[in-house]
Amino acid sequence: MPGDNPPRAGQAVSGGRNDSVTKGSAARGGSLLWRAGTRVGTLLASSALAGSLLGLSAHAEAAAAPKAGLSVGTVEVMQLAMFVGVMGAALVSAIFLIRERARTSAQNVELRARLADVNVALQRSEALLNLRDQRVVVWTSENKKPELVGTLPVESGAPEDRAAFLAFGRWLMPRSAAALENAVAALREKAKPFDLVIESQVGAPLEVHGRKSAAHVLVRFVSLSETQRSEARLKIENQRLAADYDTLIGLLDALGMPSWLRTADGRLKWVNRAYAEAVEAENAEAAVRDAKEFLGGQARDAIAAQHKSHPVFEQALSTVIEGDRRMFAVTDFASADGSAGLACDTSAIETIRSEYERTVRSHADTLDQLNTAVAIFDTDEKLRFFNQAFQKLWGLDSGFLHSAPDNALLLDRLRSEGKIAEQPEWRRWKESLLGAYRAVESQEHWWHLPDGKTIRVVANPQPKGGVTWVFENLTEKMDLESRYQTAVRVQGETLDNLAEGVAVFGPDGRLRLSNPAFAVLWGLDADAAKPNVHVSSIRDLCDRRAADSPWGGFVAAITGFDDERRDRHGQTELNNGTVLRYAMIPLPNGQVMMTFVDVTDSVNVERALKDKNEALEKSDQLKNEFVQHVSYELRSPLTNIIGFTELLSLPSTGPLSQKQREYVDHVGSSSSVLLTIVNDILDLATVDAGIMQLDISEVHVDRTIAAAAELVADRLEEHAIRLKVDAATAPKTFHGDEIRIRQILYNLLSNAANYAPEASTVTLACRSLAEGVEFSVHDDGPGMPPDVLDSVFRRFEPRTNGGRRRGAGLGLSIVKSFVELHGGSVRIETGKDKGTTVICAFPDTPSGIRAAAE
C-alpha cells in the first residue's frame, strides 16, 4: 500500500530551495504516514488472531464431540465458524484501513499546503534580502566562512567582491572600520549586539546592525535614504565632534597646567587633574562637586568684568598653591553658553627674570670693582655701560658719560683733551678702530698715552651687536716684570751656589731652570740639563744611573697624567752607591720644583744601626723560640710527674712515712708551679703568633671574682691576708672571655699576695664605666720605684722588690696581653710606701681580637 513504508528523511516534497523549513515539513509528513501504516498493520494482526482463536475453539469442540456422543455434522459447523471468523477479521481490517487512508490523505494535503506557504515565505524573504539597499553577513559556525546575502548600491562605495567587502579597512573610513571590527568581535565572542552608523571612503553613510541567535551571527549593512543619510551624516559628525572633544579633554587633563570649564552662570562644570592637585582635591570630580576655586574671589571678579566687554581675558594673576604664592598667566574665554580657562605657572619664569636682573646688577657691581676699565657700546655705537675704572682712567665727567655719547664722539673728546696720542692720519686711524663693530673676532691695540702710560685695548664684538671695550693699564705690570727679571737673576745666582740639586719644570714638561748641583748629583752633561729640555729626555738619562729610578713618577706628576698635585718625598740609590733624598713640590703657577740632597753618609750610618737592631731582634726571637720549644718539651714530663705524685699520695698505693709524704707534697707543689709557668709561656707564645682567639660571651662579674678569689685563697690564708671585694657599682655582666678574665684576676691577686705585708688587706674592686667595666687590685706593699715601673710588663724580668718569692716574671705580661686582646688597657698607680694598684679597663663589647703588644 502507499502508506506502508515511511518517506525518507530529508526527501524534497516540492521543487524549490532546500531550506531548513522545507526539510522540517517533509520530515513531519513522513512521520505521520509511518504512524498510520503501523496502526493498520496492528488491526489486521488483531483480526487474524481473533479468527484463529475462534477456529481453535471450534476444533476443540469437534474433538470432544465423540466423547460426548455428538454427531459427525459438528465438523462442518466448526469449519463454518472458522470461515466466518476469518471473513469477519478481514472485513474489520478493511474498514479500519479505509478510514486510516482517508485520514492520511487529509494530513498529506494539509502538509502540502503548509509546505507551499513556507516556500512562498522563503521566496519573499530571499527577495527582500536580495534588494540592492542591504547586505547581510551570516556566520553559521566559528570555523566556516561567512555567507553574504544581498547587495549594496554602487554609490555607497561597498565592493561587490566577497573578500574585498569583508576587508572593512579597505572601503571604510579608518575610524569606522576600527569601530566595526571591534563591534563584530564583541558580537561573535560575547554575543553583544550593536547598532552603528559608519562612513565609507566615498563619504556615504551606512547603518550596521549586529545580532546573534543560537546558531547564527548576523551583521546587516543597510543603505540609507537621503533623509536618513542626512541624519547619519549628522550622527557621524557628532561622533567626530565627540571624539575631538574627548581628545581635547584628554589633552587638557594630561597638561600640567590647571584648566577648567564653567557654565553660563559661572559654576564649575569640569576641571583637569592639575586643577584638582592645585586646590588639593581628591580628584577632579570632587573639585567640581565641592566647587573648589583655583583663583581668589577678586581675580574671578576681574575676569567676569573683563568678559562683559571682551570675550578673552589674558592677565598674570597670583594665587596660593601648597602654601606658596605663585604667579600664573591666566587665559579665559567666554561664550554665550559658558567659559573655559587655562592657567600657566610663570613663577619659574619670574624667578629667572628676577635672577637675570640680579645677575646683570651683580655683573655691573663686579665690573665696578675691577681696576681694568670697561665700556660697553650698543649696535648704534652708543655708550650703555662703563665702570668706575673707565671714568677714572680717562678723567671724564659723569654727566657726559651718562648722556650715552657715541664711540666716535668719545674718541674726538679724548683727542681734544690730549688724553690719547696724536695720530698722523686721525680719520683713517679712527675708522680702523671703529671697524670692530663690523668684525667677528676680537681686536687688540696698544696705546701709549702722553702721560707715559701703556694701555692694552681689546675690542670684543658682542653676538647681538655692539662692542665691549677693555682698557688694561699695563704700566705697573711692565714695571713689575722688570723687577721680576732682576729677582730671577738674583735667585739664579743663589741657586747656582747651593749644594742641593734644584730643578723646576713647567706645565708643558720642559725644564725652566736648574742649578749645577742637579747635573752633578745625577751625572748629567751641561747640555742635558739646559732650559727647555723635556723631562722625558732627562728621565732616559737618569734611568741609566739608578736601578730603581723614581723618574717615572716624576714625569707623570710634571706632565699632568697624575691628577693629584701633592708634595712627594722619597729616597733613591744610584748605581755608584750615592743615595739621594728627593722632594717634589707643586708650585702655584702649575710648575713643579724638585730638590735632591746627597744623604749617602747618613744612610750608611742608618743601615749600620738597622743591621744591629735586626741582629738584636733576631737574637730575641731565637730566645723566644728556645723558651717555647723547651716549654712544649717540659709540659709532658711535668704532667707525668704531677700524675705520679698524686698517685703516690693516694692510700691505695701504700703507706708513706711523714718524711716521704712531705717530699711528695713538695714535689707536687713545685711541679704545679712549674706547669703554671710553662702554661703562661705557651699562652704568650700563642699571643705572639697571633692565633689566640677569645671566646666572647656574657661574663658574670660576681661569679668570676669568686672563682679567682678561690684560686688564691690558700696563699692569702698562708700569710693571714684578708681579701676585700668592692663590687657595689659593678655591672652584673659584660662581654668578654670568662676564662681569660679569671686568669687576669688570678695573676693580679697572686702578684698582690706576693707583695702584701703579713695580716694586711688586698682589695679587689670592680666598677662600671661609661664605655665598659674596670677591675683594680690594690695591696699595701712597698710600691714600685720608677726604674721597676718602666720594665714591669717585660717578660722574664722578675724582681723581688720586697716580695716573698721570685717568680718567672710573666704574670703582668700575661695580664697586659689578655687585656689588650679584649681591646682594653692596663695602668699602674704606685709610689713608695703607698702600695700598688693595678687597674684593668675592659670595653663593654670587645671590638674584635687584637694582637697583644709585646
Side-chain angles (χ1 to χ4, degrees):
M1 296 179 65
D4 289 342
N5 296 320
R8 291 190 302 274
Q11 181 176 2
V13 184
S14 64
R17 181 182 178 89
N18 291 331
D19 191 81
S20 60
V21 178
T22 305
K23 294 178 181 178
S25 300
R28 286 193 297 271
S31 178
L32 291 174
L33 291 175
W34 170 256
R35 287 197 297 270
T38 303
R39 292 176 182 175
V40 172
T42 303
L43 290 174
L44 288 175
S46 300
S47 300
L49 179 62
S52 299
L53 291 175
L54 183 59
L56 290 174
S57 175
H59 179 71
E61 291 178 357
K67 297 178 181 181
L70 296 178
S71 62
V72 180
T74 309
V75 175
E76 287 82 0
V77 175
M78 292 173 49
Q79 292 177 350
L80 179 62
M82 290 180 63
F83 175 77
V84 171
V86 171
M87 292 302 293
L91 182 60
V92 171
S93 298
I95 294 171
F96 275 105
L97 180 60
I98 292 170
R99 289 182 179 180
E100 288 296 329
R101 287 193 64 181
R103 188 167 54 187
T104 302
S105 298
Q107 289 179 349
N108 285 340
V109 171
E110 182 183 357
L111 288 175
R112 286 189 182 96
R114 290 182 182 179
L115 185 60
D117 293 340
V118 170
N119 287 334
V120 172
L122 176 62
Q123 293 173 2
R124 183 170 59 252
S125 299
E126 288 180 346
L128 291 174
L129 289 175
N130 288 323
L131 293 176
R132 298 190 59 82
D133 61 349
Q134 64 180 348
R135 199 169 196 182
V136 181
V137 183
V138 182
W139 284 271
T140 57
S141 65
E142 293 294 334
N143 298 325
K144 289 186 178 180
K145 295 182 179 180
E147 297 181 6
L148 273 67
V149 181
T151 59
L152 291 172
V154 177
E155 58 269 15
S156 67
E160 188 68 25
D161 181 66
R162 176 181 177 279
F165 183 83
L166 293 176
F168 301 132
R170 296 183 180 180
W171 60 279
L172 292 178
M173 297 297 289
R175 182 179 298 172
S176 298
L180 181 58
E181 292 284 358
N182 295 333
V184 170
L187 175 65
R188 297 186 65 184
E189 295 174 3
K190 304 178 181 179
K192 183 177 181 181
F194 66 88
D195 296 287
L196 293 177
V197 177
I198 61 175
E199 184 180 11
S200 66
Q201 293 184 357
V202 298
L206 298 171
E207 281 189 353
V208 185
H209 308 282
R211 299 292 185 272
K212 186 174 182 180
S213 64
H216 300 85
V217 176
L218 298 98
V219 177
R220 186 164 69 111
F221 295 80
V222 181
S223 179
L224 306 178
S225 63
E226 189 61 33
T227 304
Q228 291 174 329
R229 288 180 184 177
S230 300
E231 182 181 354
R233 287 192 180 95
L234 290 176
K235 289 183 179 179
I236 293 173
E237 186 65 25
N238 181 57
Q239 292 175 1
R240 290 176 182 171
L241 292 176
D244 293 341
Y245 174 80
D246 292 339
T247 302
L248 290 175
I249 289 296
L251 174 63
L252 291 175
D253 195 49
L255 287 177
M257 298 179 287
S259 57
W260 59 88
L261 297 177
R262 295 183 184 274
T263 59
D265 57 357
R267 292 182 291 105
L268 285 174
K269 182 169 65 175
W270 175 88
V271 298
N272 65 350
R273 286 183 295 175
Y275 185 104
E277 292 174 0
V279 299
E280 299 180 358
E282 182 178 356
N283 49 43
E285 291 75 12
V288 174
R289 183 182 65 248
D290 299 338
K292 291 192 174 184
E293 294 292 345
F294 172 73
L295 298 173
Q298 187 175 358
R300 297 198 304 274
D301 293 342
I303 295 174
Q306 175 72 19
H307 285 332
K308 293 179 180 178
S309 58
H310 195 274
V312 179
F313 174 87
E314 290 182 315
Q315 190 175 334
L317 300 175
S318 65
T319 187
V320 176
I321 304 296
E322 295 180 353
D324 298 329
R325 181 162 293 278
R326 300 183 186 178
M327 292 297 298
F328 286 85
V330 178
T331 302
D332 196 280
F333 174 79
S335 65
D337 298 329
S339 63
L342 182 69
C344 179
D345 190 352
T346 60
S347 302
I349 299 175
E350 294 297 330
T351 302
I352 293 174
R353 180 182 291 109
S354 302
E355 185 66 24
Y356 170 75
E357 293 175 354
R358 287 195 299 270
T359 302
V360 170
R361 289 195 298 269
S362 177
H363 286 177
D365 295 340
T366 302
L367 291 175
D368 273 339
Q369 302 301 320
L370 293 179
N371 293 325
T372 302
V374 178
I376 300 176
F377 290 81
D378 59 13
T379 55
D380 297 329
E381 302 183 10
K382 298 289 186 180
L383 180 63
R384 293 304 177 191
F385 174 80
F386 62 92
N387 62 352
Q388 295 180 3
F390 179 83
Q391 183 179 4
K392 182 179 179 181
L393 175 65
W394 301 114
L396 300 174
D397 59 278
S398 178
F400 171 74
L401 295 175
H402 282 98
S403 65
D406 59 21
N407 206 339
L409 178 61
L410 180 63
L411 292 175
D412 290 336
R413 178 158 180 174
L414 293 177
R415 177 193 179 193
S416 64
E417 294 182 0
K419 295 181 179 178
I420 58 176
E422 281 288 345
Q423 303 295 330
E425 297 182 3
W426 170 257
R427 186 180 299 276
R428 181 178 299 177
W429 180 84
K430 183 171 68 174
E431 290 177 356
S432 173
L433 194 66
L434 297 178
Y437 289 93
R438 299 178 295 276
V440 178
E441 301 293 336
S442 300
Q443 298 180 1
E444 183 176 333
H445 308 275
W446 290 83
W447 291 0
H448 299 282
L449 304 186
D451 57 0
K453 295 179 182 177
T454 300
I455 306 297
R456 176 175 171 264
V457 181
V458 178
N460 185 26
Q462 299 177 8
K464 295 184 179 181
V467 174
T468 299
W469 295 89
V470 179
F471 302 89
E472 185 178 5
N473 188 356
L474 300 179
T475 306
E476 295 182 359
K477 180 180 178 181
M478 296 176 68
D479 182 51
L480 290 175
E481 286 182 354
S482 176
R483 297 181 183 178
Y484 171 75
Q485 294 297 333
T486 303
V488 167
R489 287 194 296 269
V490 173
Q491 184 182 26
E493 292 295 333
T494 304
L495 291 176
D496 289 344
N497 292 280
L498 286 177
E500 298 179 356
V502 178
V504 178
F505 291 89
D508 56 356
R510 298 191 177 276
L511 184 64
R512 291 290 184 265
L513 62 91
S514 64
N515 63 349
F518 171 73
V520 171
L521 291 175
W522 284 98
L524 302 177
D525 297 333
D527 294 338
K530 62 183 180 181
N532 291 325
V533 175
H534 199 269
V535 65
S536 59
S537 300
I538 298 177
R539 177 196 59 188
D540 295 339
L541 296 174
C542 294
D543 285 348
R544 302 172 188 172
R545 291 164 173 75
D548 188 14
S549 175
W551 278 91
F554 295 165
V555 172
I558 292 170
T559 55
F561 288 101
D562 188 355
D563 296 334
E564 187 177 3
R565 289 178 56 84
R566 56 183 177 82
D567 294 353
R568 299 186 182 185
H569 302 273
Q571 186 172 292
T572 184
E573 184 174 357
L574 305 186
N575 296 334
N576 59 6
T578 302
V579 179
L580 300 180
R581 181 172 296 163
Y582 61 84
M584 186 174 63
I585 303 172
L587 300 178
N589 55 0
Q591 297 180 347
V592 176
M593 181 179 70
M594 303 172 60
T595 62
F596 300 90
V597 182
D598 187 353
V599 293
T600 306
D601 296 338
S602 302
V603 170
N604 290 335
V605 172
E606 183 180 354
R607 287 175 179 173
L609 294 175
K610 283 184 178 180
D611 293 341
K612 184 176 180 180
N613 186 57
E614 289 176 358
L616 293 174
E617 290 179 352
K618 188 174 182 180
S619 63
D620 186 64
Q621 183 179 358
L622 290 174
K623 180 194 70 174
N624 291 336
E625 292 175 354
F626 171 76
V627 171
Q628 294 171 16
H629 179 72
V630 171
S631 300
Y632 276 113
E633 295 298 329
L634 289 176
R635 192 170 189 176
S636 296
L638 281 174
T639 304
N640 294 332
I641 293 173
I642 294 173
F644 284 116
T645 303
E646 292 177 352
L647 184 61
L648 290 173
S649 302
L650 294 176
S652 59
T653 306
L656 295 177
S657 63
Q658 183 64 30
K659 197 69 172 177
Q660 290 174 338
R661 187 171 298 281
E662 290 178 1
Y663 290 158
V664 169
D665 292 341
H666 183 68
V667 171
S669 61
S670 299
S671 299
S672 298
V673 172
L674 184 57
L675 182 60
T676 301
I677 295 173
V678 171
N679 289 335
D680 289 344
I681 293 173
L682 292 178
D683 285 341
L684 290 174
T686 305
V687 172
D688 292 340
I691 60 175
M692 175 169 282
Q693 294 182 354
L694 298 178
D695 184 12
I696 301 299
S697 62
E698 270 197 339
V699 178
H700 294 271
V701 174
D702 52 352
R703 188 172 64 191
T704 303
I705 291 176
E710 184 179 357
L711 292 175
V712 297
D714 293 340
R715 293 187 59 183
L716 295 175
E717 184 178 355
E718 181 182 355
H719 302 286
I721 299 174
R722 189 171 64 90
L723 176 62
K724 176 184 177 183
V725 178
D726 182 8
T729 60
K732 291 184 178 180
T733 60
F734 71 98
H735 289 85
D737 188 333
E738 185 172 357
I739 295 175
R740 300 305 177 188
I741 293 174
R742 186 190 310 149
Q743 190 174 354
I744 290 170
L745 297 180
Y746 169 74
N747 286 345
L748 293 178
L749 291 174
S750 297
N751 188 68
N754 190 37
Y755 290 97
E758 296 284 343
S760 63
T761 300
V762 172
T763 303
L764 171 59
C766 180
R767 65 190 183 99
S768 178
L769 300 177
E771 63 280 0
V773 62
E774 180 183 274
F775 290 92
S776 63
V777 176
H778 174 78
D779 65 78
D780 295 328
M784 298 183 188
D787 58 333
V788 174
L789 187 61
D790 293 338
S791 60
V792 71
F793 292 112
R794 294 178 187 173
R795 302 174 189 176
F796 305 109
E797 292 192 12
R799 291 179 174 83
T800 55
N801 193 33
R804 296 183 179 85
R805 63 177 68 177
R806 182 183 179 90
L810 297 176
L812 290 180
S813 298
I814 291 177
V815 169
K816 185 174 185 296
S817 297
F818 287 170
V819 171
E820 290 181 350
L821 273 177
H822 282 79
S825 60
V826 181
R827 70 180 189 274
I828 297 177
E829 296 178 357
T830 184
K832 190 176 181 180
D833 300 331
K834 293 182 179 180
T836 302
T837 303
V838 182
I839 303 171
C840 301
F842 295 89
D844 185 29
T845 302
S847 58
I849 301 174
R850 304 178 182 177
E854 288 289 332

